[in-house]
Amino acid sequence: MLPTIAWRGRSVIMIDQRKLPGQEIYVRCRTYIQVAQAIEKMVVRGAPAIGIAAAYGLVLGTLALTAETGRSLDRDFEKVYKRLERTRPTARNLFWALERMRAVYERTRSEGLRVMRAALLDEARAIECEDAETNRAIGQHGQALLGDGWTVLTHCNAGALATAEYGTALGIIRAAVAAGKSIKVFADETRPFLQGARLTVWELDRDGIPVVLITDGMAGWFMRRGEIQAVVVGADRIARNGDTANKIGTYSLAVLAKENGVPFFVAAPMSTIDLTLPDGGGIPIEERNPDEVREVGGRLITVPYVEVRNPAFDVTPAAYITAIVTERGVHRPPYEKNLGGR
Amino acid sequence: MLPTIAWRGRSVIMIDQRKLPGQEIYVRCRTYIQVAQAIEKMVVRGAPAIGIAAAYGLVLGTLALTAETGRSLDRDFEKVYKRLERTRPTARNLFWALERMRAVYERTRSEGLRVMRAALLDEARAIECEDAETNRAIGQHGQALLGDGWTVLTHCNAGALATAEYGTALGIIRAAVAAGKSIKVFADETRPFLQGARLTVWELDRDGIPVVLITDGMAGWFMRRGEIQAVVVGADRIARNGDTANKIGTYSLAVLAKENGVPFFVAAPMSTIDLTLPDGGGIPIEERNPDEVREVGGRLITVPYVEVRNPAFDVTPAAYITAIVTERGVHRPPYEKNLGGR
C-alpha cells in the first residue's frame, strides 16, 4: 500500500479518498493549485494529512518561482502560501505545517532558489516522516487505555488515510491489536462524506481487524446497551483547555459516552493543539457545500432545493473528554495544566 | 394529494415511500400477501400507517376466503392474520389494528362471508378515519407546547406519510403553524432509510413550512449552539412507564436534549401505547437487512461484505421525555400514573 501522500519526481501523489473503497485511484498534483484544490475537494483529508499535503504543495509552488531574491520572491511565496492556507479553516495542522515551511523559507530565502527549494523539500519530508513516528508513539501510549476483548467505537477516519501512515485513533487500535489484545471496532458511517463507511472500514478490513459498520444515529444506543467499552476519535484542532474540534457528530458521541459511563479518548499529534486559543469558542468551523448533504455519491436523496446546514466539525468541551493522547503520552484533565507546556 | 393509504375497489392503494421524493408512484395491492410484503419492504411505514395497511390487508385476505363458516373458516382467517402480524415486530399499532379486526371477525363470523367482509371493511375504514381525527387532536394538544419563532427538531418521519393523514409529530408542527406560530423545522436525514431527507422534507416543503435538512450527527451540535428550542418525534411502541421505542437515533437525541435543556416531546396515538409492558425492556427491536446500511439508494457505499448492525429502533427511557402527547392530551411524568388509565 502506498502511503496516503507521497512525493514522487516533482509531483505529489495522493490516493483519491473520494473514490474509496470502490476504486483505488491515485491523483498526481504537479502544481500548488492542484494541491490546494485536492485539499478543498477532499481528495486528501484528515488534519495531519492535510498538513503534509500543504507542505508538499508549497514545495511545488516554489518550483514555479522565478524571482531569485528580494521583495518579488517574497510576494510570489506569499501568494502560494495564502492559497494553500485558505483551503480549509479548521484543522490546526494545516497552519502548523505551513508555518514550519515558512520558517525554512525565511532561513534560506537569501541563499538562492536551489538551496531554498531543497531545504523546503527536506522540511516537507521531515513533516511526513515525523508524523509517521508520532502516530506510532500515540499508538503505544494510547493502547494501554484499551482492555483485551473491548469493542471500541470510532467516528470518521483518523487512520492511515488521515495521516502519513498508521493513524491516530486507528493507530491506538492498531497498537492494541499488535500488543495482542482482541479488539473489535464499531465504525460510524459518518455522513455526509461517509469517511467511516468508506475509509475506516476499508483500512481495518485490510488489516484484518474486526469492524462493524453502523449509522451515526446507532452509536448512542449501542453505548446504552453496554456493547461499547470505549470511544476513540481523532481531532482537527484542540484548544489550550482541551476543547476539541473534530468531525461533526463527535460532540454527540462524547455526551452519550459520558451519560453511559464509557471513556472518551481523543488521539492527536501535538501539532493539532492550538495554544493560542484559550478554549474551543475561537475555533473556526467550516461550513461545506450543501450538496454534500443533499446527495450521496452524486445522487440526490431529497428535494433538490431544500435548505441545508453542513458544518463539517463540532467542538467537544473538555469536560466530556476522559483523556487526550499525543506522542508525548496520555494527558488527563485539567488539560490547561497537563497539555499545554512544552 | 392522495392519502397515504386508500381503499379503492377491492384493492389497497399506497404511495411507494421507497421512491419519494424522486418519484411519486402508487402501488396497488390486490392480495393480503402483497400488503404484507409492502409493509415488510417499507412501501408503507410509520406505526399508524402500518396498522391501517394491515387492517385493509385483512379485508383483502377475507375476500379470498371460501369456507363459509366453522373451523376451516377460522383456520383460513388465522393464516391471513398471522401473515400480516409477522411483517414487522416493533410498532404496537400493527397488533392493535389486527386485534380490532379480529374482534369484528369473531362477532360476525357466524353471519356469513358477505356480512363479515362488510363489517371488516367498515372497521378498517374506521381505523383509518379515527387515525386522521386522532392526529388533529394530537396536533391541537401538542401545538400549545411550541412557542412562536421556535426551531423544532424532528427525526425520521412522523408525518402524513406515517399515518392516515396530518401526522403525529408533524401534526403538532402543522397545528402550531395553523395557530399562527412561526415554526422552522430541522429534519434529521435519518439513515439508513432516509425518512427525514426523503419524506419529512418533502411533506413540509409541500406545506410551505420552512425545513432545514441536517445529517443525524449534527443534531446534538445545533442543540448545544442553542439553535433548537424543542425536539418532537413520533413513536412505535410506548410502555406503561413511558419508555418509548422509536426510529433508531431517537435515544441519542433525547440524551442530547436533556444535556442541553431542550424539551423532548413524543407524539403518538393511544394505540401506540402497550399497557402489557411495564417498561421498554420488553419491546422487540427489529434488526433489518444489513444492505440498508451498506447501500444508499441501491448503491454500495462501503466494503461489500463488511459486518453491519441494523436495529431499526431504539428505546428512549421515560426519564428523558418531557411529555407524551396523545389524542387525550399532554401527559407528563410519572407516565405510569398519567398515561395508562382508561
Side-chain angles (χ1 to χ4, degrees):
Chain A
M1 179 169 150
L2 255 180
T4 307
I5 305 164
W7 178 262
R8 292 280 188 280
R10 299 170 74 89
S11 66
V12 184
I13 314 276
M14 305 171 187
I15 189 161
D16 189 341
Q17 302 200 26
R18 300 167 306 177
K19 302 284 171 51
L20 287 170
Q23 298 168 277
E24 290 180 36
I25 292 174
Y26 291 86
V27 168
R28 182 184 294 265
C29 299
R30 298 179 190 277
T31 69
Y32 76 94
I33 303 273
Q34 289 172 340
V35 171
Q37 290 171 342
I39 294 171
E40 285 166 346
K41 293 178 180 167
M42 296 173 71
V43 172
V44 62
R45 30 64 52 198
I50 289 172
I52 297 162
Y56 282 128
L58 204 68
V59 174
L60 286 179
T62 61
L63 294 183
L65 298 184
T66 49
E68 271 289 329
T69 52
R71 224 177 290 167
S72 83
L73 179 65
D74 285 349
R75 200 174 44 234
D76 291 351
F77 178 84
E78 207 56 33
K79 188 179 152 200
V80 174
Y81 191 96
K82 291 271 186 244
R83 177 68 186 89
L84 290 162
E85 195 182 44
R86 70 162 188 268
T87 48
R88 298 195 69 194
T90 305
R92 170 65 195 143
N93 312 63
L94 171 70
F95 307 97
W96 169 87
L98 286 172
E99 285 158 19
R100 269 184 70 161
M101 296 297 282
R102 186 204 288 278
V104 170
Y105 168 77
E106 283 169 1
R107 207 169 60 234
T108 57
R109 61 185 284 287
S110 59
E111 297 176 40
L113 277 180
R114 218 170 57 92
V115 171
M116 185 259 282
R117 284 171 181 151
L120 285 173
L121 181 55
D122 283 352
E123 188 69 2
R125 282 182 162 141
I127 288 171
E128 183 190 343
C129 288
E130 289 167 26
D131 187 62
E133 287 163 24
T134 290
N135 291 335
R136 302 273 169 181
I138 290 171
Q140 276 316 309
H141 295 305
Q143 70 86 14
L145 298 168
L146 305 186
D148 187 27
W150 279 18
T151 296
V152 178
L153 175 74
T154 191
H155 189 64
C156 194
N157 173 270
L161 289 165
T163 60
E165 57 177 61
Y166 204 66
T168 51
L170 297 194
I172 289 177
I173 289 163
R174 288 189 164 100
V177 170
K181 293 174 191 172
S182 164
I183 301 285
K184 182 176 206 167
V185 178
F186 270 48
D188 279 348
E189 67 174 8
T190 319
R191 277 279 291 150
F193 202 66
L194 295 169
Q195 292 94 333
R198 299 191 303 100
L199 310 178
T200 295
V201 164
W202 183 73
E203 271 197 32
L204 293 175
D205 179 62
R206 284 169 71 111
D207 275 13
I209 297 172
V211 56
V212 177
L213 177 63
I214 61 173
T215 66
D216 302 318
M218 292 175 191
W221 177 238
F222 287 117
M223 290 192 228
R224 164 100 189 154
R225 286 174 51 93
E227 297 194 39
I228 289 167
Q229 282 72 54
V231 181
V232 187
V233 297
D236 288 83
R237 193 186 294 227
I238 301 174
R240 215 157 61 214
N241 73 340
D243 289 356
T244 295
N246 189 47
K247 181 54 51 199
I248 188 74
T250 303
Y251 161 72
S252 295
L253 295 180
V255 169
L256 288 156
K258 187 162 204 193
E259 187 76 3
N260 289 289
V262 175
F264 185 88
F265 303 120
V266 170
M270 289 299 295
S271 54
T272 301
I273 298 170
D274 186 346
L275 293 175
T276 69
L277 293 179
D279 60 50
I283 301 176
I285 300 294
E286 177 183 13
E287 182 111 7
R288 291 184 61 84
N289 188 328
D291 285 337
E292 289 184 355
V293 174
R294 294 188 191 115
E295 298 174 357
V296 178
R299 256 169 52 172
L300 202 61
I301 58 161
T302 185
V303 173
Y305 49 81
V306 66
E307 187 182 340
V308 159
R309 293 288 295 277
N310 188 16
F313 305 95
D314 57 28
V315 178
T316 299
Y320 296 101
I321 301 171
T322 311
I324 297 174
V325 186
T326 73
E327 65 272 34
R328 298 201 185 160
V330 175
H331 310 260
R332 301 272 182 179
Y335 296 112
E336 181 84 44
K337 175 162 160 272
N338 297 337
L339 197 64
R342 309 223 142 207
Chain B
M1 181 167 147
L2 254 182
T4 307
I5 305 163
W7 177 262
R8 293 281 189 279
R10 299 171 74 90
S11 65
V12 183
I13 313 277
M14 304 171 187
I15 189 162
D16 190 339
Q17 303 199 25
R18 301 168 305 179
K19 302 284 170 52
L20 288 171
Q23 299 167 278
E24 292 180 35
I25 292 173
Y26 292 85
V27 168
R28 182 185 293 266
C29 298
R30 297 177 190 277
T31 69
Y32 75 95
I33 302 273
Q34 289 172 340
V35 172
Q37 290 171 342
I39 294 171
E40 285 166 349
K41 293 178 182 169
M42 295 172 72
V43 172
V44 62
R45 31 63 53 198
I50 290 171
I52 297 163
Y56 283 127
L58 204 68
V59 174
L60 286 179
T62 61
L63 294 183
L65 298 183
T66 48
E68 271 288 330
T69 53
R71 223 177 293 168
S72 80
L73 177 66
D74 286 347
R75 198 174 48 235
D76 290 350
F77 178 83
E78 207 56 33
K79 189 178 151 200
V80 174
Y81 191 97
K82 291 271 186 247
R83 178 68 187 88
L84 289 163
E85 194 182 45
R86 71 163 186 266
T87 48
R88 298 196 68 193
T90 304
R92 170 64 194 144
N93 313 62
L94 171 71
F95 307 98
W96 169 87
L98 287 172
E99 286 159 18
R100 270 183 68 161
M101 297 296 281
R102 187 206 288 276
V104 170
Y105 169 77
E106 283 169 0
R107 207 170 59 233
T108 58
R109 63 186 282 286
S110 57
E111 299 175 38
L113 277 180
R114 215 169 59 92
V115 172
M116 185 259 283
R117 283 170 183 152
L120 284 173
L121 181 55
D122 283 350
E123 187 71 2
R125 284 181 160 143
I127 288 171
E128 183 190 343
C129 289
E130 289 167 25
D131 187 61
E133 287 163 24
T134 290
N135 292 334
R136 303 273 168 178
I138 290 171
Q140 275 316 310
H141 296 305
Q143 70 85 14
L145 299 168
L146 305 185
D148 187 27
W150 279 19
T151 296
V152 178
L153 175 74
T154 191
H155 187 66
C156 194
N157 172 270
L161 290 165
T163 60
E165 59 177 58
Y166 206 64
T168 52
L170 296 193
I172 289 177
I173 288 162
R174 288 189 163 101
V177 171
K181 293 176 192 173
S182 165
I183 301 286
K184 181 176 207 166
V185 178
F186 270 47
D188 280 348
E189 67 174 8
T190 318
R191 276 278 291 150
F193 202 66
L194 295 168
Q195 291 95 333
R198 299 191 303 101
L199 309 178
T200 295
V201 164
W202 183 74
E203 269 196 35
L204 293 176
D205 178 62
R206 285 169 70 110
D207 274 13
I209 297 172
V211 57
V212 177
L213 177 63
I214 61 173
T215 66
D216 302 318
M218 291 175 192
W221 177 237
F222 287 116
M223 288 192 228
R224 165 100 189 153
R225 287 174 50 93
E227 298 194 40
I228 289 166
Q229 282 72 53
V231 182
V232 187
V233 298
D236 288 83
R237 191 185 295 227
I238 301 174
R240 217 157 60 212
N241 72 340
D243 289 356
T244 294
N246 190 46
K247 181 52 53 196
I248 187 76
T250 302
Y251 161 72
S252 295
L253 296 180
V255 170
L256 287 155
K258 187 161 205 193
E259 187 75 3
N260 289 289
V262 175
F264 185 90
F265 302 120
V266 170
M270 290 298 297
S271 54
T272 302
I273 298 169
D274 186 347
L275 293 175
T276 69
L277 294 179
D279 60 51
I283 300 176
I285 301 293
E286 177 183 13
E287 182 111 8
R288 290 185 61 85
N289 189 327
D291 284 337
E292 290 184 355
V293 174
R294 294 188 191 116
E295 299 174 358
V296 178
R299 257 170 48 174
L300 202 60
I301 57 161
T302 185
V303 173
Y305 49 81
V306 65
E307 187 181 340
V308 160
R309 293 288 295 278
N310 188 16
F313 306 95
D314 58 27
V315 178
T316 299
Y320 296 101
I321 301 171
T322 310
I324 298 174
V325 185
T326 73
E327 65 271 33
R328 298 200 186 163
V330 175
H331 311 259
R332 302 271 182 179
Y335 298 112
E336 180 85 45
K337 176 163 159 273
N338 297 338
L339 197 64
R342 308 226 142 206

